[in-house]
């Protein structure tokens, strides 16, 4: 515990990942924790000022994990898609300080990426776990909608976690999910298809090249078996207006509801025959702190699965030539969270990422 707190004290003034750090409480809890518990003494961070009251945080504490602080989320007057604000200032990307770490689980991703904690809680309503995980080079999981309790009345946001390795996300799920059943490991190769754009996004060629190379490595390693047949590919309608309509809380317009229903139909048909979908997490690389620019949606490849409810993960895929981390998105059928983590673990072993 002392090592984690020392690292936070040393690194956070520059990275600004934390809103608060609970030195005294963390040390006291660490000394008192029952060593027989499955996560005894594991330091973790919680997302935002209310994260300590979340269902996931309570379950982690019951399993012996020790909360060390709350992490940065967007501050007043900032766009939630863009950046976080910690106790010392704006949260920065640990690989490129001139770039955003993504959001809204910004501080959680930075705290994990910098090695301050091995695990941090997050929530994902449009990509808020997967995007910062991708841009900070860590693993991120968005669980199936409704699998874990969520205060979001729209049903879009669900609990998630950010970790250094997939094994830590598996430990998280074991402790927060009632009736969790262990999976010995993914049976590989797993049938999958790869889409660089889901049929509508404008994906940066540099991002697409990194993800395509990672997918090819997975295929070469026997982790996935790619189906390149035209009738196996997935193309969705752009979910932007549908997501905005649902998030607005009003009854979605007929056109938006139609888009959501059609995408659900296409996804149901896809996952009825193929257990895994692979895409980039974002169509763009991390942007500057001034914002993404007009008509740029970092959420373009993630928020479809908040509307549909499917579990999705971000796995580090590599780096663009200018040193920006890129994430590979893995999407599975609804309720297949445990199996998705098994596949992610096999993929992680086949994707040794060398930092630039």
């Amino acid at each position: 515990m002392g090592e984690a707190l020392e690292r936070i004290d040393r690194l956070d003034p520059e990275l600004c990942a934390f809103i608060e750090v609970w030195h005294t409480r963390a040390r006291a809890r660490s000394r008192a924790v029952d060593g027989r518990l499955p996560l005894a003494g594991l330091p973790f961070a919680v997302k935002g000022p209310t994260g300590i009251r979340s269902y996931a945080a309570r379950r982690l504490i019951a399993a012996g994990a020790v909360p060390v602080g709350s992490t940065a989320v967007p501050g007043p007057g900032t766009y939630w898609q863009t950046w976080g604000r910690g106790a010392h200032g704006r949260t920065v990307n640990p690989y490129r300080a001139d770039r955003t770490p993504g959001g809204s689980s910004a501080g959680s991703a930075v705290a994990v990426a910098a090695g301050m904690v091995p695990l941090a809680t997050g929530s994902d309503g449009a990509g808020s776990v997967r995007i910062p995980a991708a841009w900070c080079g860590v693993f991120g999981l968005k669980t199936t909608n409704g699998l874990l309790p969520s205060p979001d009345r729209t049903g879009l946001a669900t609990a998630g976690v950010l970790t250094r390795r997939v094994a830590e996300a598996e430990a998280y799920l074991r402790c927060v999910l009632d009736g969790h059943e262990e999976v010995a490991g993914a049976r590989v190769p797993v049938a999958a298809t790869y889409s660089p754009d889901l049929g509508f996004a404008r994906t940066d060629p540099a991002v697409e090249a990194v993800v395509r190379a990672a997918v090819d490595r997975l295929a070469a390693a026997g982790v996935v078996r790619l189906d390149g047949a035209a009738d196996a590919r997935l193309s969705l309608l752009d979910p932007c207006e549908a997501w905005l309509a649902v998030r607005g809380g009003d009854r979605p317009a007929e056109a938006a509801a139609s888009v959501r229903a059609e995408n659900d139909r296409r996804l149901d048909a896809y996952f009825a025959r193929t257990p895994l979908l692979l895409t980039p997490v974002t169509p763009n690389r991390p942007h500057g702190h001034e914002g993404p620019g007009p008509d740029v949606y970092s959420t373009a490849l993630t928020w479809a699965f908040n509307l549909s409810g499917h579990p999705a993960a971000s796995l580090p895929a590599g780096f663009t030539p200018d040193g920006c981390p890129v994430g590979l998105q893995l999407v599975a059928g609804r309720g297949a969270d445990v199996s998705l983590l098994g596949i992610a673990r096999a993929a992680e072993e086949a994707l040794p990422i060398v930092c630039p």
Side-chain angles (χ1 to χ4, degrees):
M1 182 56 58
E3 182 180 349
L5 292 171
E6 183 279 329
R7 193 168 177 86
I8 293 170
D9 289 343
R10 178 162 48 87
L11 298 179
D12 199 52
E14 179 180 352
L15 296 175
C16 305
F18 282 87
I19 299 170
E20 293 182 328
V21 182
W22 306 316
H23 295 83
T24 302
R25 280 179 284 171
R27 287 193 173 94
R29 191 184 293 271
S30 179
R31 290 191 295 267
V33 72
D34 184 342
R36 295 169 295 180
L37 293 171
L39 299 183
L42 180 79
F44 77 99
V46 298
K47 176 184 177 179
T50 62
I52 193 64
R53 299 197 297 271
S54 69
Y55 174 83
R58 296 197 305 271
R59 294 299 293 263
L60 291 169
I61 292 169
V66 178
V68 298
S70 59
T71 59
V73 292
T78 62
Y79 294 108
W80 65 265
Q81 301 101 323
T82 305
W83 55 77
R85 181 160 291 275
H88 304 286
R90 71 183 182 192
T91 310
V92 303
N93 191 300
Y95 287 94
R96 290 279 307 264
D98 63 326
R99 305 293 176 93
T100 173
S104 61
S105 303
S108 287
V110 173
V112 171
M116 298 188 224
V117 290
L119 182 154
T121 64
S123 59
D124 191 313
S128 295
V129 163
R130 288 162 288 163
I131 293 170
W135 286 356
C136 293
V138 299
F139 181 75
L141 172 70
K142 166 206 152 342
T143 55
T144 297
N145 291 34
L147 184 72
L148 299 171
S150 170
D152 180 23
R153 295 181 179 180
T154 68
L156 293 172
T158 184
V161 66
L162 299 103
T163 62
R164 295 279 289 187
R165 305 282 293 181
V166 177
E168 290 141 354
E170 291 177 308
Y172 162 90
L173 204 60
R174 282 194 297 271
C175 293
V176 302
L177 182 59
D178 288 330
H180 179 281
E181 294 183 6
E182 291 290 342
V183 174
R187 297 179 62 181
V188 297
V190 179
T193 61
Y194 168 64
S195 173
D197 55 14
L198 290 177
F200 60 85
R202 298 191 301 272
T203 303
D204 180 338
V207 170
E208 203 280 323
V210 172
V211 178
R212 179 75 240 194
V215 171
D216 289 344
R217 290 201 300 274
L218 294 182
V223 176
V224 300
R225 184 180 69 254
L226 294 175
D227 189 343
D231 62 354
R233 297 172 192 158
L234 177 66
S235 179
L236 299 179
L237 303 176
D238 188 341
C240 176
E241 294 305 321
W243 188 94
L244 292 172
V246 173
R247 175 52 92 191
D250 298 324
R251 184 174 180 177
E254 183 176 346
S258 176
V259 167
R260 186 179 193 181
E262 177 60 20
N263 280 349
D264 281 350
R265 185 192 67 77
R266 296 184 188 187
L267 286 164
D268 288 345
Y270 175 87
F271 285 111
R273 63 177 182 264
T274 310
L276 183 66
L277 172 66
L278 303 171
T279 79
V281 173
T282 64
N284 54 314
R285 65 191 89 187
H287 52 74
H289 292 278
E290 70 283 356
D295 302 319
V296 175
Y297 287 92
S298 303
T299 54
L301 297 172
T302 53
W303 53 8
F305 307 110
N306 296 90
L307 282 166
S308 68
H310 291 81
S314 174
L315 187 71
F319 295 83
T320 57
D322 59 348
C324 292
V326 174
L328 166 65
Q329 181 169 226
L330 300 86
V331 188
R334 297 182 191 90
D337 301 63
V338 175
S339 297
L340 177 61
L341 286 178
I343 297 168
R345 180 161 24 100
E348 179 183 62
E349 293 171 0
L351 289 176
I353 305 302
V354 179
C355 298

